[in-house]
Amino acid sequence: MGIILNLAILFLILLGIFTLYLLVFAIAGKVTSANTTTRTPKTQRKFAVFLPSYKEDKVILESAKRALIQDYPKALFDVIVIADSLKPETVAQLRELPITTYEVTFETSTKAKALNYAMSQLTEQYDIALILDADNIMATDFITKLNATFDLGYQVVQGHRTAKNTNSPTAILDAISEEINNHILRKGHRALGLSSALIGSGMAFDYALFVDVMSEINAIGGFDKELEMRLLKRGIVFDYIEDAFVYDEKVQNAEVFEKQRTRWIAAQFKYLKQNFASGVVHLFKGNIDYANKVFQALLPPRIILLGMLMFFAFVSIFSGDFNFKVLAWGQLVTLLFTFYISTPDFLKRLITWKEIMLLPSLFFRFIRAILKMGEAKKKFLHTPHDS
């Protein structure tokens, strides 16, 4: 029993490093204001707004129409839909809109392939590449706020992606998870001088830089993770704009949640494996941003971390070891406090017993996602949208 207890304490110490990491950035996000866009821009840049759409017939028409509704000069942004495996009638309707539509077919579809194809076809000159998901709806001032931020000299800017639906317990928990990420990995990181995490959509890049780095990427899933690693390795800093909103459809059922997380976890493990040694080397070279991103890839999913700490806290009840009890319960309380201060008040008010009772199910779905992540290495796991 002594050996088992010592191993448990060592494991809790490891989990404690992850918990403390999250806490530090959560507190930083509370005590420091995020970058906002009250300034008047010096330059109006031309934006290419990319909407890759793989089998998203239900949402792409509405997203494309809404993307045209911006308070930015219409001559200075083009909406570009990459129609991958859409129905012919959907493509026909897209072609009636004042947008550019590229119809593509790939043996293995990926977002990276779709974006690279579109950029190879464009003849216009652009300053900024703005990447959206097929279900994303930009706030009408989104491009205006991004444009103003590029005046500060950044080459990469992440907007504030937030939920456009909270119509099921799964969607509410998914929305909370998104906002915790925004607070810790974006706002908190910028508060301490580190780069914001990218999120896969609602993100903008210097166009020439984006074309250059995307030419190196052919990821099946998690292209944004590879994009992050490559850009941070170059020493490029990412800003985060808290008041530039893009609305994203949250997962509404547990089955789609599991498929989505399978894809995300597979990408996390893949890029951890590819970048771990390089991250250690760059740490000693002074590239803290890149090393920090590699460390983030070590972090277990938060629901897994919560589940493990709850398990150890429960087991500690039956242990006579005081240190074990303090470690287990102290970390559990710390993690819950971290989640609490990182969650916006409007989402806290939506939490009921339905959401709380769903957590164990999502924990086990995460475990299954980890066991199935090999599937995501072979093909893109599409997660359909309902609206």
Side-chain angles (χ1 to χ4, degrees):
M1 288 298 293
I3 295 176
I4 294 175
L5 179 61
N6 288 335
L7 289 174
I9 289 175
L10 284 173
F11 190 63
L12 274 172
I13 291 171
L14 174 62
L15 296 183
I17 294 171
F18 300 144
T19 302
L20 182 61
Y21 177 90
L22 297 174
L23 176 65
V24 167
F25 287 107
I27 293 173
K30 295 299 286 188
V31 300
T32 306
S33 298
N35 196 0
T36 55
T37 48
T38 56
R39 61 196 156 274
T40 302
K42 299 175 183 177
T43 305
Q44 288 188 314
R45 297 161 181 81
K46 187 160 187 180
F47 283 70
V49 182
F50 292 102
L51 272 164
S53 178
Y54 175 71
K55 295 184 178 181
E56 293 286 10
D57 297 87
K58 290 183 179 180
V59 297
I60 188 57
L61 283 168
E62 178 66 14
S63 296
K65 291 174 184 177
R66 295 283 294 275
L68 293 167
I69 306 172
Q70 290 286 302
D71 63 11
Y72 200 68
K74 293 189 181 300
L76 290 179
F77 73 96
D78 293 328
V79 176
I80 301 141
V81 172
I82 307 128
D84 186 353
S85 305
L86 297 184
K87 296 175 183 177
E89 54 267 34
T90 304
V91 176
Q93 289 176 282
L94 286 168
R95 295 196 189 281
E96 293 175 2
L97 299 175
I99 65 174
T100 300
T101 301
Y102 293 119
E103 193 172 6
V104 298
T105 302
F106 303 110
E107 184 176 344
T108 302
S109 293
T110 70
K111 187 179 287 189
K113 287 180 182 178
L115 289 166
N116 280 322
Y117 177 85
M119 289 187 292
S120 73
Q121 299 300 304
L122 291 170
T123 57
E124 287 280 342
Q125 298 296 311
Y126 295 100
D127 301 304
I128 306 296
L130 170 55
I131 315 302
L132 301 176
D133 279 343
D135 63 299
N136 286 174
I137 303 295
M138 295 183 288
T140 56
D141 59 357
F142 188 68
I143 294 179
T144 296
K145 289 183 174 181
L146 290 181
N147 178 67
T149 305
F150 279 95
D151 278 344
L152 300 176
Y154 294 104
Q155 294 179 280
V156 180
V157 177
Q158 175 65 59
H160 184 162
R161 199 174 78 177
T162 193
K164 69 178 179 182
N165 65 298
T166 52
N167 55 340
S168 74
T170 303
I172 290 171
L173 292 176
D174 196 17
I176 290 171
S177 177
E178 181 101 287
E179 292 299 343
I180 290 174
N181 277 339
N182 285 332
H183 184 83
I184 294 175
L185 301 181
R186 296 177 185 93
K187 186 179 179 182
H189 271 63
R190 292 303 295 135
L192 295 183
L194 293 170
S195 283
S196 162
L198 298 183
I199 202 169
S201 70
M203 53 186 188
F205 305 83
D206 174 88
Y207 193 84
L209 173 67
F210 188 67
V211 171
D212 179 49
V213 74
M214 283 300 296
S215 68
E216 304 170 350
I217 295 176
N218 191 27
I220 293 177
F223 95 99
D224 53 310
K225 299 301 180 190
E226 183 169 352
L227 190 61
E228 274 188 309
M229 292 292 189
R230 288 183 179 274
L231 289 171
L232 290 172
K233 198 172 184 179
R234 295 187 187 189
I236 294 169
V237 177
F238 312 159
D239 199 17
Y240 170 63
I241 310 302
E242 189 176 29
D243 65 344
F245 292 98
V246 60
Y247 299 93
D248 177 74
E249 184 177 313
K250 295 295 104 184
V251 172
Q252 298 182 42
N253 64 75
E255 289 76 16
V256 175
F257 176 93
E258 182 179 324
K259 182 182 285 188
Q260 184 187 69
R261 267 49 182 188
T262 300
R263 188 176 74 236
W264 291 1
I265 290 169
Q268 180 176 338
F269 274 89
K270 175 184 176 181
Y271 295 115
L272 172 62
K273 181 179 177 181
Q274 289 182 358
N275 291 274
F276 182 79
S278 179
V280 173
V281 171
H282 277 258
L283 174 63
F284 290 103
K285 290 182 177 181
N287 190 344
I288 305 300
D289 246 352
Y290 176 53
N292 173 66
K293 179 56 59 178
V294 173
F295 179 80
Q296 277 181 24
L298 285 168
L299 295 173
R302 286 186 304 275
I303 195 169
I304 297 293
L305 181 58
L306 176 62
M308 288 190 292
L309 290 179
M310 290 182 71
F311 169 77
F312 280 114
F314 175 76
V315 170
S316 75
I317 295 173
F318 306 98
S319 170
D321 189 279
F322 179 75
N323 292 330
F324 183 39
K325 291 180 187 291
V326 169
L327 273 174
W329 283 98
Q331 284 189 52
L332 178 59
V333 171
T334 299
L335 187 65
L336 290 173
F337 173 74
T338 299
F339 292 168
Y340 181 82
I341 66 173
S342 301
T343 303
D345 290 339
F346 78 94
L347 286 175
K348 290 175 188 171
R349 290 191 288 269
L350 296 179
I351 299 174
T352 68
W353 281 108
K354 288 183 180 180
E355 286 70 41
I356 294 171
M357 295 303 292
L358 181 61
L359 286 171
S361 171
L362 295 183
F363 172 83
F364 287 108
R365 285 190 176 276
F366 245 116
I367 297 296
R368 291 204 323 189
I370 293 171
L371 296 175
K372 296 194 307 182
M373 66 180 180
E375 182 182 350
K377 297 177 182 178
K378 301 173 184 176
K379 62 180 180 179
F380 176 72
L381 297 180
H382 174 56
T383 49
H385 298 95
D386 298 321
S387 60

